[in-house]
């Protein structure tokens, strides 16, 4: 009785500690007679749902230069029950109103955050959208200049005489920047359409 309760409690504590000290908990769990050999058995602790969600929201806010002190609204599309976690997410991510559901239509003017358990839509005001469009236009101008510069360099007859690794590095950089430019144009188009 007492040994089983103590053993079970200790195993649960080790499972909760496993994300922080995985090697230690792994070693300690191998000492149990039941043959439990891994600390990563069972569902992930709920705190990770809150931490990951808040981190992603903060990242988006940072990318879009939205002050962390400003309260925002969000819509969550999921089939999971998040009622236990919403108060923490709202407080830590500075969210005022939350709508949660499985049959919610995606809002048009929102930053989209894909999570393993669903999709978070961070609702944007007109001011946020205009600032983001201005930022994206500046990024697009810079990328366009860099792409043209690399294209010019690649087309120069003298550049063909450069070492092969330099040419290859320049081609790869050109491809990367062209892809970034395309993605930026798509983001800008999404904001213009919505």
């Amino acid at each position: 009785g007492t040994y089983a309760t103590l053993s079970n409690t200790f195993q649960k504590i080790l499972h909760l500690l496993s994300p922080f000290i995985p090697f230690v908990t792994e070693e300690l769990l191998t000492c149990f007679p039941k043959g439990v050999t891994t600390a990563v058995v069972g569902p992930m602790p709920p705190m990770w749902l809150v931490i990951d969600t808040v981190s992603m929201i903060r990242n988006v806010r940072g990318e879009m230069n939205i002050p962390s002190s400003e309260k925002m609204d969000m819509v969550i599309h999921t089939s999971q029950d998040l009622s236990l976690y919403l108060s923490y997410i709202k407080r830590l991510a500075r969210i005022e109103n939350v709508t949660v559901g499985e049959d919610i239509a995606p809002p048009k003017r929102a930053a989209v955050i894909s999570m393993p358990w669903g999709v978070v839509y961070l609702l944007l005001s007109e001011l946020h959208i205009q600032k983001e469009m201005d930022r994206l236009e500046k990024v697009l101008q810079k990328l366009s200049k860099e792409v043209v510069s690399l294209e010019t360099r690649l087309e120069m007859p003298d550049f063909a005489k450069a070492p092969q690794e330099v040419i290859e590095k320049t081609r790869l950089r050109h491809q990367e920047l062209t892809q970034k430019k395309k993605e930026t144009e798509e983001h800008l188009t999404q904001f213009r359409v919505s």
Side-chain angles (χ1 to χ4, degrees), residues 10-164:
F10 190 60
Q11 285 182 28
K12 287 182 180 179
I13 290 170
L14 290 176
H15 282 284
L16 289 173
L17 288 174
S18 67
F20 304 105
I21 49 173
F23 300 113
V24 174
T25 56
E26 200 73 34
E27 184 65 30
L28 290 172
L29 281 170
T30 59
C31 299
F32 284 93
K34 289 183 179 180
V36 177
T37 58
T38 180
V40 204
V41 174
M44 198 164 42
M47 65 183 149
W48 291 110
L49 184 138
V50 174
I51 292 169
D52 288 348
T53 305
V54 170
S55 294
M56 293 297 286
I57 291 171
R58 287 179 177 175
N59 288 344
V60 167
R61 290 175 79 123
E63 289 172 7
M64 299 182 80
N65 296 322
I66 299 171
S68 59
S69 61
E70 184 178 327
K71 290 218 174 206
M72 298 183 76
D73 295 336
M74 77 177 176
V75 173
I76 300 176
H77 183 270
T78 185
S79 59
Q80 293 190 6
D81 180 20
L82 301 176
S83 56
L84 296 173
Y85 317 116
L86 284 180
S87 63
Y88 299 110
I89 293 170
K90 284 175 68 174
R91 186 177 32 204
L92 295 170
R94 306 282 297 163
I95 301 297
E96 192 160 354
N97 299 308
V98 179
T99 307
V100 181
E102 196 171 356
D103 299 326
I104 296 174
K108 290 185 178 182
R109 295 188 170 249
V112 181
I113 305 168
S114 294
M115 302 297 292
W117 45 265
V119 180
V120 175
Y121 299 96
L122 198 56
L123 303 180
L124 303 173
S125 69
E126 286 295 323
L127 180 62
H128 296 142
I129 291 171
Q130 189 57 50
K131 283 183 178 179
E132 182 63 4
M133 286 175 60
D134 292 344
R135 185 187 75 80
L136 288 173
E137 285 173 358
K138 287 177 185 174
V139 168
L140 188 59
Q141 287 176 354
K142 181 180 176 189
L143 288 171
S144 295
K145 287 179 184 177
E146 289 183 48
V147 167
V148 168
S149 171
L150 289 173
E151 285 173 351
T152 305
R153 185 180 306 160
L154 287 168
E155 292 172 358
M156 289 175 52
D158 291 340
F159 190 70
K161 298 174 188 173
Q164 190 60 35

